[in-house]
Amino acid sequence: MAEIKVDPVDNHTMVIPETEISAQKPHRTLRVASLDIFRGLTVALMILVDDAGGEWPMIGHAPWHGCNLADFVMPFFLFIVGTAIPLALKRIPSKGKAVKKVVFRTLKLLFWGLLLQGGFSHAPDKLTYGVDMQMIRFCGILQRIAFAYLVVALAEIFLKDAQSNDIAAGYCSVFRLYCWHWLLGACILILYLAMLYGIYVPDWQFAVHDEESADYGRVFTVDCNVRGKLNPPCNAVGYIDREILGINHMYLKPAWRRAKACTENSPYEGPFKNDAPSWCHAPFEPEGILSSISAVLSTIIGVHFGHVLVHLKGHSERLKQWIMMGFALLILGILLHFTHAIPLNKQLYTFSYVCVTSGAAALVFSAIYILVDIWGLKYMFVPLKWIGMNAMLVYVMAAEGIFAGFINGWYYEDPHNTLVGFSLELNRL
């Protein structure tokens, strides 16, 4: 198998040794196609669930506990970021230069995250822009990716020792080589669980700031006075965000609004019940502080897959590591959920959710690796590869509604006779 080589930018490439080509030809580099395709698949999945999740709630985010198709998007992104980190940093000559590149990329992600999800571009279809700084949303998808990337990339730079590129193919060899990374992951997990179950959550109040709501300006009180609860109103994740970020800077329309306790139309959105609990009206930050700390675990697991890709040269050795770990994580997460030990919950980013989604990411990546890098079926995935190589461009276009607007802009006779309108009619049937 080819040696892994990475250029100074945050790309991932393979270099085919000269002896495999010709003694007269220089080395030529190829990107790891399976990782590009996996990233493209995840971006495409994001666009699908964002634009169609409202009409097909079975693919949208679960209102609270549970895991639907949309709930795999964020951990897939974090897993891919982690896998790419060892490839991107492997050939950067100095720690100082590596840190500079990591910090620059982090700031770039934070900038785009605040611009796209902070509230500045809140209605691109109506060409309305601007945000009240007293109401700006600080957290979001790109901000979480930036945080996880910064933590794990710095760990990769400072925690790894001088290593040989070739190590034994034993299952634990890569684990032993990067034991400090796993120790960091264990510390993060302990911190997260200690705060999730140990922080006391008092009663709290909020005013409805959603101008589209019939209850705009109304003040609600939520009764808690508990510790260690994982229900929507009284969990430590929301409490920390309300105390640090401020309730005005949180997401106004969380997925729990579609819960059975809130609306008769569940799992669809709809008017609240007359006796809906007060927390149904409250904001909640699905990419908040404590849940983002837990999200770093998805990136650490992804880094392990990148380490396997760097150090193990044979297809069978790589796949053995990936598939065994994928199934182990998947089974562990399912057991934790169905034994009611730790429920699957994307908004809290619970440990069972980390295990299930990371295990699924491992198996999907392994399948793509088999199809593309072993069987050579690259041409089947050319569109996904292009999306993966231009992920930020596609993400910005999707966030601004450009793709949805383009698809919905083609109609027959009447502007309502669009592909989207036709699909909605089929859904109603």
Side-chain angles (χ1 to χ4, degrees), residues 175-418:
F175 286 99
R176 287 195 299 267
L177 195 61
Y178 292 94
C179 60
W180 289 107
H181 292 66
W182 293 108
L183 180 60
L184 172 64
C187 292
I188 289 172
L189 177 60
I190 292 170
L191 174 66
Y192 168 77
L193 292 176
M195 298 180 73
L196 181 66
Y197 290 102
I199 290 180
Y200 171 78
V201 181
D203 296 343
W204 52 284
Q205 287 186 332
F206 68 95
V208 177
H209 293 290
D210 183 4
E211 296 182 358
E212 298 178 0
S213 172
D215 296 297
Y216 176 68
R218 184 178 173 186
V219 177
F220 290 90
T221 299
V222 180
D223 297 325
C224 288
N225 286 319
V226 294
R227 191 190 312 270
K229 295 294 185 180
L230 302 186
N231 55 16
C234 300
N235 59 82
V237 171
Y239 172 69
I240 291 173
D241 290 336
R242 290 191 296 270
E243 292 297 309
I244 297 178
L245 300 176
I247 200 165
N248 292 344
H249 300 285
M250 296 166 63
Y251 187 49
L252 293 177
K253 298 181 179 180
W256 72 29
R257 294 161 63 96
R258 296 186 285 106
K260 291 181 180 180
C262 297
T263 176
E264 296 283 0
N265 295 345
S266 179
Y268 294 90
E269 290 190 26
F272 290 139
K273 297 178 179 179
N274 292 331
D275 60 345
S278 57
W279 55 262
C280 292
H281 303 264
F284 183 84
E285 185 49 70
E287 282 84 39
I289 296 171
L290 185 56
S291 57
S292 292
I293 292 174
S294 177
V296 174
L297 296 172
S298 296
T299 309
I300 291 176
I301 293 171
V303 164
H304 172 72
F305 281 66
H307 290 153
V308 170
L309 195 59
V310 168
H311 291 291
L312 301 184
K313 306 305 181 185
H315 294 312
S316 60
E317 289 85 358
R318 291 172 174 175
L319 289 171
K320 184 186 298 184
Q321 294 259 347
W322 294 341
I323 293 175
M324 288 179 64
M325 186 171 185
F327 275 114
L329 288 168
L330 199 60
I331 293 170
L332 175 59
I334 290 173
L335 287 175
L336 289 172
H337 177 72
F338 285 102
T339 58
H340 305 289
I342 303 177
L344 287 168
N345 192 301
K346 185 263 180 185
Q347 299 180 74
L348 301 179
Y349 221 98
T350 56
F351 181 58
S352 58
Y353 174 75
V354 172
C355 292
V356 167
T357 54
S358 298
L363 297 179
V364 172
F365 178 58
S366 298
I368 295 173
Y369 182 83
I370 292 171
L371 293 172
V372 174
D373 291 292
I374 297 179
W375 294 354
L377 303 177
K378 297 181 181 180
Y379 296 107
M380 295 175 54
F381 304 99
V382 169
L384 292 179
K385 184 178 180 181
W386 183 88
I387 294 174
M389 295 175 67
N390 300 275
M392 182 57 74
L393 171 64
V394 177
Y395 181 90
V396 172
M397 294 176 69
E400 289 298 287
I402 295 174
F403 287 129
F406 176 80
I407 294 174
N408 211 30
W410 302 89
Y411 62 88
Y412 180 74
E413 291 185 347
D414 186 275
H416 295 92
N417 296 330
T418 64

Side-chain angles (χ1 to χ4, degrees), residues 40-60:
L41 175 65
T42 304
V43 174
L45 182 63
M46 178 197 70
I47 296 172
L48 171 66
V49 298
D50 281 353
D51 292 335
E55 296 298 329
W56 291 289
M58 67 289 298
I59 69 171

